[in-house]
Coordinates of all heavy atoms in Angstrom, one line a residue:
F29 N 5.8 -0.1 -1.8 CA 5.6 -0.8 -3.0 C 4.3 -1.6 -2.9 O 4.1 -2.3 -1.9 CB 6.7 -1.7 -3.4 CG 8.0 -1.0 -3.8 CD1 9.0 -0.8 -2.9 CD2 8.1 -0.5 -5.1 CE1 10.2 -0.1 -3.2 CE2 9.3 0.2 -5.4 CZ 10.3 0.4 -4.5
F30 N 3.4 -1.5 -3.9 CA 2.2 -2.3 -3.9 C 2.1 -3.2 -5.2 O 2.4 -2.7 -6.3 CB 1.0 -1.3 -4.0 CG 0.8 -0.5 -2.8 CD1 1.5 0.7 -2.6 CD2 -0.1 -0.9 -1.8 CE1 1.4 1.4 -1.5 CE2 -0.3 -0.1 -0.6 CZ 0.5 1.1 -0.5
D31 N 1.7 -4.4 -5.0 CA 1.3 -5.3 -6.1 C -0.1 -4.9 -6.4 O -0.8 -4.2 -5.6 CB 1.4 -6.7 -5.6 CG 1.0 -7.7 -6.7 OD1 1.3 -7.5 -7.9 OD2 0.3 -8.7 -6.4
V32 N -0.7 -5.3 -7.5 CA -2.0 -5.0 -7.8 C -3.0 -6.2 -7.6 O -3.8 -6.2 -6.7 CB -2.2 -4.5 -9.3 CG1 -3.6 -4.2 -9.6 CG2 -1.4 -3.2 -9.4
D33 N -2.9 -7.2 -8.5 CA -3.8 -8.3 -8.4 C -3.6 -9.1 -7.1 O -2.6 -9.6 -6.9 CB -3.7 -9.2 -9.6 CG -4.1 -8.5 -10.9 OD1 -5.1 -7.8 -10.9 OD2 -3.5 -8.7 -11.9
G34 N -4.7 -9.1 -6.3 CA -4.6 -9.8 -5.0 C -4.2 -8.9 -3.8 O -4.3 -9.3 -2.7
V35 N -3.9 -7.6 -4.2 CA -3.6 -6.6 -3.1 C -4.5 -5.4 -3.3 O -5.3 -5.2 -2.4 CB -2.1 -6.2 -3.2 CG1 -1.8 -5.1 -2.2 CG2 -1.2 -7.4 -2.9
L36 N -4.4 -4.7 -4.4 CA -5.3 -3.6 -4.6 C -6.6 -4.0 -5.2 O -7.5 -3.3 -5.3 CB -4.6 -2.6 -5.6 CG -3.4 -1.8 -5.0 CD1 -2.8 -0.9 -6.0 CD2 -3.8 -1.1 -3.7
T37 N -6.6 -5.3 -5.7 CA -7.9 -5.9 -6.2 C -8.1 -7.2 -5.5 O -7.2 -7.7 -4.8 CB -7.8 -6.2 -7.7 OG1 -7.0 -7.3 -8.0 CG2 -7.4 -5.0 -8.5
D38 N -9.2 -7.8 -5.7 CA -9.5 -9.1 -5.0 C -8.8 -10.3 -5.8 O -8.9 -11.4 -5.4 CB -11.0 -9.4 -5.0 CG -11.7 -9.5 -6.3 OD1 -11.0 -9.5 -7.4 OD2 -12.9 -9.5 -6.3
G39 N -8.0 -10.0 -6.8 CA -7.3 -11.0 -7.5 C -8.1 -11.6 -8.7 O -7.5 -12.3 -9.5
G40 N -9.4 -11.2 -8.8 CA -10.2 -11.7 -9.9 C -9.9 -10.8 -11.1 O -9.6 -9.6 -11.0
I41 N -10.0 -11.4 -12.3 CA -9.9 -10.7 -13.5 C -11.1 -10.9 -14.3 O -11.5 -12.1 -14.6 CB -8.6 -11.1 -14.3 CG1 -7.4 -10.9 -13.5 CG2 -8.5 -10.3 -15.6 CD1 -6.1 -11.5 -14.1
Y42 N -11.9 -9.9 -14.6 CA -13.1 -10.0 -15.3 C -12.9 -9.5 -16.8 O -12.3 -8.5 -17.0 CB -14.2 -9.1 -14.6 CG -14.3 -9.4 -13.1 CD1 -13.6 -8.6 -12.2 CD2 -15.0 -10.5 -12.7 CE1 -13.6 -8.9 -10.9 CE2 -15.1 -10.7 -11.3 CZ -14.4 -9.9 -10.4 OH -14.5 -10.2 -9.1
F43 N -13.5 -10.3 -17.7 CA -13.4 -9.9 -19.1 C -14.8 -9.8 -19.7 O -15.7 -10.6 -19.4 CB -12.7 -11.1 -19.9 CG -11.3 -11.2 -19.6 CD1 -10.8 -12.2 -18.7 CD2 -10.3 -10.4 -20.2 CE1 -9.5 -12.3 -18.4 CE2 -9.0 -10.5 -19.9 CZ -8.6 -11.5 -19.0
T44 N -15.0 -8.7 -20.4 CA -16.3 -8.5 -21.1 C -16.3 -9.3 -22.4 O -15.3 -9.9 -22.8 CB -16.5 -7.0 -21.5 OG1 -15.5 -6.6 -22.5 CG2 -16.3 -6.1 -20.2
D45 N -17.5 -9.4 -23.0 CA -17.6 -10.1 -24.3 C -16.6 -9.5 -25.4 O -16.2 -10.2 -26.3 CB -19.0 -10.0 -24.9 CG -20.0 -10.9 -24.0 OD1 -19.5 -11.8 -23.3 OD2 -21.2 -10.6 -24.1
A46 N -16.4 -8.2 -25.2 CA -15.5 -7.5 -26.2 C -14.0 -7.7 -25.8 O -13.1 -7.2 -26.5 CB -15.8 -6.0 -26.2
G47 N -13.7 -8.5 -24.7 CA -12.4 -8.8 -24.3 C -11.7 -7.7 -23.4 O -10.5 -7.8 -23.2
E48 N -12.5 -6.8 -23.0 CA -12.0 -5.7 -22.1 C -11.8 -6.3 -20.7 O -12.6 -7.1 -20.2 CB -13.0 -4.5 -22.0 CG -13.2 -3.8 -23.3 CD -14.2 -2.8 -23.3 OE1 -14.7 -2.5 -22.2 OE2 -14.6 -2.2 -24.3
T49 N -10.8 -5.9 -20.0 CA -10.5 -6.3 -18.7 C -11.2 -5.3 -17.7 O -11.1 -4.1 -17.8 CB -9.0 -6.3 -18.4 OG1 -8.3 -7.1 -19.4 CG2 -8.6 -6.8 -17.0
L50 N -11.8 -5.9 -16.7 CA -12.5 -5.1 -15.7 C -11.8 -5.5 -14.3 O -11.5 -6.7 -14.1 CB -14.0 -5.4 -15.6 CG -14.7 -5.1 -16.9 CD1 -16.2 -5.6 -16.7 CD2 -14.7 -3.7 -17.3
K51 N -11.6 -4.5 -13.5 CA -11.1 -4.8 -12.1 C -11.9 -4.0 -11.1 O -12.5 -3.0 -11.4 CB -9.6 -4.4 -12.1 CG -8.7 -5.2 -12.9 CD -7.3 -4.7 -12.8 CE -6.4 -5.4 -13.7 NZ -6.0 -6.7 -13.1
R52 N -12.0 -4.6 -9.9 CA -12.7 -3.9 -8.8 C -11.6 -3.4 -7.8 O -10.8 -4.2 -7.4 CB -13.6 -4.9 -8.1 CG -14.4 -4.4 -7.0 CD -15.1 -5.5 -6.2 NE -15.6 -5.0 -4.9 CZ -14.9 -4.9 -3.8 NH1 -13.6 -5.3 -3.8 NH2 -15.4 -4.5 -2.7
F53 N -11.7 -2.1 -7.5 CA -10.8 -1.5 -6.6 C -11.5 -1.0 -5.4 O -12.7 -0.6 -5.5 CB -10.1 -0.3 -7.2 CG -9.2 -0.7 -8.3 CD1 -9.6 -0.7 -9.6 CD2 -7.9 -1.1 -8.1 CE1 -8.8 -1.0 -10.7 CE2 -7.0 -1.4 -9.2 CZ -7.5 -1.4 -10.5
S54 N -10.9 -1.1 -4.2 CA -11.5 -0.6 -3.0 C -11.2 0.9 -2.8 O -10.1 1.4 -2.9 CB -10.9 -1.3 -1.8 OG -11.2 -0.6 -0.6
V55 N -12.3 1.7 -2.5 CA -12.1 3.1 -2.3 C -11.3 3.3 -1.0 O -10.5 4.3 -1.0 CB -13.5 3.8 -2.2 CG1 -13.4 5.2 -1.8 CG2 -14.2 3.7 -3.5
L56 N -11.5 2.5 0.0 CA -10.7 2.6 1.2 C -9.2 2.5 0.9 O -8.4 3.3 1.4 CB -11.0 1.5 2.2 CG -12.3 1.6 2.9 CD1 -12.6 0.4 3.7 CD2 -12.3 2.9 3.8
D57 N -8.8 1.5 0.0 CA -7.4 1.4 -0.3 C -6.9 2.6 -1.1 O -5.8 3.1 -0.8 CB -7.2 0.1 -1.2 CG -7.5 -1.2 -0.5 OD1 -7.5 -1.2 0.7 OD2 -7.6 -2.2 -1.2
G58 N -7.7 3.1 -2.0 CA -7.3 4.3 -2.7 C -7.0 5.5 -1.8 O -6.0 6.2 -2.0
Y59 N -7.9 5.7 -0.9 CA -7.7 6.8 0.0 C -6.4 6.6 0.9 O -5.7 7.6 1.2 CB -8.9 7.0 1.0 CG -9.0 8.3 1.7 CD1 -9.2 9.5 1.0 CD2 -8.7 8.3 3.1 CE1 -9.2 10.7 1.7 CE2 -8.7 9.5 3.7 CZ -9.0 10.7 3.0 OH -9.0 11.9 3.7
G60 N -6.1 5.4 1.2 CA -4.9 5.1 2.0 C -3.7 5.5 1.2 O -2.7 6.1 1.7
L61 N -3.6 5.2 -0.1 CA -2.5 5.6 -1.0 C -2.4 7.1 -1.0 O -1.3 7.6 -1.0 CB -2.7 5.0 -2.4 CG -2.0 3.6 -2.6 CD1 -2.8 2.5 -1.9 CD2 -1.9 3.3 -4.1
Q62 N -3.5 7.8 -1.1 CA -3.5 9.3 -1.1 C -2.9 9.8 0.2 O -2.2 10.8 0.2 CB -4.8 9.8 -1.4 CG -5.3 9.5 -2.8 CD -6.7 10.0 -3.1 OE1 -7.6 9.9 -2.3 NE2 -6.9 10.5 -4.3
M63 N -3.3 9.2 1.3 CA -2.8 9.6 2.6 C -1.3 9.4 2.8 O -0.6 10.2 3.4 CB -3.6 8.9 3.8 CG -5.0 9.3 3.9 SD -5.3 11.1 4.2 CE -5.6 11.7 2.6
L64 N -0.8 8.3 2.2 CA 0.6 8.1 2.3 C 1.4 9.3 1.7 O 2.4 9.8 2.3 CB 1.0 6.9 1.5 CG 0.7 5.5 2.1 CD1 1.2 4.4 1.3 CD2 1.2 5.4 3.5
R65 N 1.0 9.8 0.6 CA 1.6 11.0 -0.1 C 1.6 12.2 0.9 O 2.6 12.9 0.9 CB 1.0 11.3 -1.4 CG 1.3 10.2 -2.4 CD 1.6 10.5 -3.8 NE 2.1 11.8 -4.1 CZ 1.5 12.6 -5.0 NH1 0.4 12.3 -5.6 NH2 2.1 13.7 -5.3
K66 N 0.5 12.4 1.6 CA 0.4 13.5 2.5 C 1.4 13.3 3.7 O 1.8 14.3 4.3 CB -1.0 13.6 3.1 CG -2.0 14.1 2.0 CD -3.3 14.4 2.6 CE -4.2 14.9 1.5 NZ -5.4 15.5 2.1
A67 N 1.8 12.1 3.9 CA 2.8 11.8 5.0 C 4.2 11.7 4.5 O 5.1 11.2 5.2 CB 2.3 10.6 5.8
D68 N 4.4 12.1 3.2 CA 5.7 12.0 2.6 C 6.2 10.6 2.4 O 7.4 10.3 2.5 CB 6.7 12.9 3.3 CG 6.4 14.3 3.3 OD1 5.9 14.8 2.2 OD2 6.5 15.0 4.3
I69 N 5.3 9.6 2.2 CA 5.6 8.3 1.9 C 5.1 8.1 0.5 O 3.9 8.2 0.2 CB 5.0 7.2 2.8 CG1 5.5 7.4 4.3 CG2 5.3 5.8 2.4 CD1 4.8 6.6 5.3
E70 N 6.0 7.7 -0.5 CA 5.7 7.6 -1.9 C 5.1 6.3 -2.2 O 5.7 5.2 -2.0 CB 6.9 7.8 -2.7 CG 6.6 8.0 -4.2 CD 5.9 9.3 -4.5 OE1 6.2 10.4 -3.8 OE2 5.1 9.3 -5.4
P71 N 3.8 6.2 -2.6 CA 3.2 4.9 -3.0 C 3.7 4.6 -4.4 O 3.6 5.5 -5.3 CB 1.7 5.2 -3.0 CG 1.6 6.7 -3.2 CD 2.8 7.3 -2.6
V72 N 4.1 3.4 -4.6 CA 4.6 2.9 -5.9 C 3.9 1.6 -6.3 O 3.8 0.7 -5.4 CB 6.1 2.7 -5.9 CG1 6.7 2.1 -7.1 CG2 6.8 4.0 -5.6
V73 N 3.6 1.5 -7.5 CA 2.9 0.2 -8.0 C 3.9 -0.5 -8.9 O 4.4 0.1 -9.9 CB 1.6 0.5 -8.6 CG1 1.1 -0.8 -9.3 CG2 0.6 1.0 -7.6
V74 N 4.2 -1.8 -8.7 CA 4.9 -2.6 -9.6 C 4.1 -3.9 -9.8 O 3.9 -4.6 -8.8 CB 6.3 -2.9 -9.0 CG1 7.1 -3.8 -9.9 CG2 7.1 -1.6 -8.7
T75 N 3.7 -4.1 -11.0 CA 2.8 -5.2 -11.3 C 3.1 -5.9 -12.5 O 3.7 -5.4 -13.5 CB 1.3 -4.6 -11.4 OG1 0.4 -5.7 -11.7 CG2 1.2 -3.6 -12.4
G76 N 2.8 -7.2 -12.5 CA 3.0 -8.1 -13.7 C 2.0 -7.9 -14.8 O 2.2 -8.4 -15.9
R77 N 0.9 -7.2 -14.5 CA -0.1 -7.1 -15.5 C -0.3 -5.6 -15.9 O 0.3 -4.7 -15.2 CB -1.4 -7.6 -15.0 CG -1.4 -9.1 -14.7 CD -2.7 -9.7 -14.3 NE -3.7 -9.4 -15.3 CZ -3.9 -10.2 -16.3 NH1 -3.2 -11.3 -16.5 NH2 -4.9 -10.0 -17.1
D78 N -1.0 -5.4 -17.0 CA -1.2 -4.0 -17.4 C -2.7 -4.0 -18.0 O -3.1 -4.9 -18.6 CB -0.2 -3.6 -18.5 CG -0.3 -2.2 -18.9 OD1 -1.1 -1.4 -18.3 OD2 0.5 -1.8 -19.8
S79 N -3.4 -2.9 -17.7 CA -4.7 -2.8 -18.2 C -5.1 -1.3 -18.2 O -4.6 -0.5 -17.4 CB -5.7 -3.6 -17.5 OG -5.9 -3.1 -16.2
A80 N -6.0 -0.9 -19.0 CA -6.5 0.4 -19.1 C -7.2 0.8 -17.7 O -7.0 1.9 -17.2 CB -7.5 0.6 -20.2
P81 N -8.0 -0.1 -17.2 CA -8.7 0.2 -15.9 C -7.6 0.5 -14.8 O -7.8 1.4 -13.9 CB -9.5 -1.0 -15.5 CG -9.8 -1.6 -16.8 CD -8.6 -1.4 -17.7
L82 N -6.6 -0.3 -14.7 CA -5.5 -0.1 -13.7 C -4.8 1.3 -13.9 O -4.7 2.0 -13.0 CB -4.5 -1.2 -13.8 CG -3.2 -1.0 -13.0 CD1 -3.6 -0.9 -11.5 CD2 -2.3 -2.2 -13.2
R83 N -4.5 1.6 -15.1 CA -3.8 2.9 -15.4 C -4.7 4.0 -15.0 O -4.3 5.0 -14.4 CB -3.4 2.9 -16.9 CG -2.2 2.1 -17.1 CD -1.7 2.2 -18.6 NE -0.6 1.3 -18.8 CZ 0.7 1.8 -19.0 NH1 0.9 3.0 -19.0 NH2 1.6 0.9 -19.3
A84 N -6.0 3.9 -15.4 CA -7.0 5.0 -15.0 C -7.1 5.1 -13.5 O -7.1 6.3 -13.0 CB -8.3 4.7 -15.6
R85 N -7.2 4.0 -12.8 CA -7.3 4.1 -11.3 C -6.1 4.8 -10.7 O -6.2 5.6 -9.8 CB -7.5 2.7 -10.7 CG -7.6 2.7 -9.2 CD -8.9 3.4 -8.8 NE -9.0 3.3 -7.3 CZ -9.5 4.3 -6.6 NH1 -9.9 5.4 -7.1 NH2 -9.6 4.1 -5.3
L86 N -4.9 4.3 -11.1 CA -3.7 4.9 -10.5 C -3.5 6.4 -10.9 O -3.1 7.2 -10.0 CB -2.4 4.1 -11.0 CG -2.4 2.7 -10.5 CD1 -1.1 2.0 -10.9 CD2 -2.6 2.6 -9.0
Q87 N -3.9 6.8 -12.1 CA -3.9 8.2 -12.5 C -4.8 9.0 -11.6 O -4.5 10.1 -11.1 CB -4.2 8.4 -13.9 CG -4.1 9.8 -14.4 CD -4.4 10.0 -15.9 OE1 -4.8 9.1 -16.5 NE2 -4.1 11.2 -16.4
A88 N -6.0 8.4 -11.4 CA -7.0 9.1 -10.5 C -6.5 9.3 -9.1 O -6.8 10.3 -8.5 CB -8.3 8.4 -10.6
L89 N -5.7 8.4 -8.6 CA -5.2 8.4 -7.3 C -3.9 9.3 -7.2 O -3.4 9.6 -6.1 CB -4.9 7.0 -6.8 CG -6.0 6.1 -6.5 CD1 -5.6 4.7 -6.1 CD2 -7.0 6.7 -5.5
G90 N -3.4 9.7 -8.3 CA -2.2 10.5 -8.3 C -0.9 9.7 -8.0 O 0.1 10.3 -7.6
V91 N -0.9 8.4 -8.3 CA 0.3 7.6 -8.1 C 1.3 8.0 -9.2 O 1.0 7.9 -10.4 CB -0.1 6.1 -8.2 CG1 1.2 5.3 -8.2 CG2 -1.0 5.7 -7.0
R92 N 2.4 8.5 -8.8 CA 3.4 9.0 -9.8 C 4.4 8.0 -10.3 O 5.0 8.3 -11.3 CB 4.2 10.2 -9.1 CG 3.3 11.3 -8.7 CD 4.0 12.5 -8.1 NE 4.6 12.1 -6.8 CZ 5.0 13.0 -5.9 NH1 5.0 14.3 -6.2 NH2 5.5 12.6 -4.7
H93 N 4.5 6.9 -9.6 CA 5.5 5.9 -10.0 C 4.8 4.5 -10.1 O 4.4 4.0 -9.1 CB 6.7 5.8 -9.0 CG 7.4 7.1 -8.8 ND1 8.4 7.6 -9.7 CD2 7.3 8.1 -7.9 CE1 8.8 8.7 -9.4 NE2 8.1 9.1 -8.3
A94 N 4.8 4.0 -11.3 CA 4.2 2.7 -11.5 C 4.9 2.0 -12.7 O 5.4 2.7 -13.6 CB 2.7 2.8 -11.9
R95 N 5.1 0.7 -12.6 CA 5.7 -0.1 -13.6 C 4.7 -1.2 -13.9 O 4.2 -1.9 -13.0 CB 7.0 -0.7 -13.2 CG 8.1 0.3 -12.9 CD 8.6 1.0 -14.2 NE 9.7 1.9 -13.9 CZ 9.7 3.1 -13.4 NH1 8.5 3.6 -13.1 NH2 10.8 3.8 -13.2
Y96 N 4.3 -1.4 -15.2 CA 3.3 -2.3 -15.6 C 4.0 -3.5 -16.4 O 4.9 -3.2 -17.1 CB 2.3 -1.6 -16.5 CG 1.7 -0.4 -15.9 CD1 2.2 0.9 -16.2 CD2 0.6 -0.5 -15.0 CE1 1.7 2.0 -15.6 CE2 0.0 0.6 -14.4 CZ 0.6 1.9 -14.7 OH 0.0 3.0 -14.2

Side-chain angles (χ1 to χ4, degrees):
F29 291 100
F30 293 83
D31 178 39
V32 175
D33 294 320
V35 174
L36 293 178
T37 74
D38 62 9
I41 301 171
Y42 308 95
F43 293 98
T44 67
D45 289 341
E48 296 174 8
T49 303
L50 304 174
K51 294 182 182 278
R52 179 188 168 277
F53 295 94
S54 165
V55 173
L56 285 173
D57 291 345
Y59 194 71
L61 270 71
Q62 291 176 322
M63 291 299 98
L64 286 182
R65 291 217 26 235
K66 289 185 178 196
D68 298 320
I69 298 172
E70 191 69 34
V72 173
V73 170
V74 178
T75 179
R77 298 186 57 85
D78 191 2
S79 69
L82 171 59
R83 286 179 181 254
R85 179 65 176 145
L86 295 182
Q87 183 178 10
L89 293 175
V91 173
R92 299 181 292 197
H93 301 278
R95 298 290 188 279
Y96 308 94

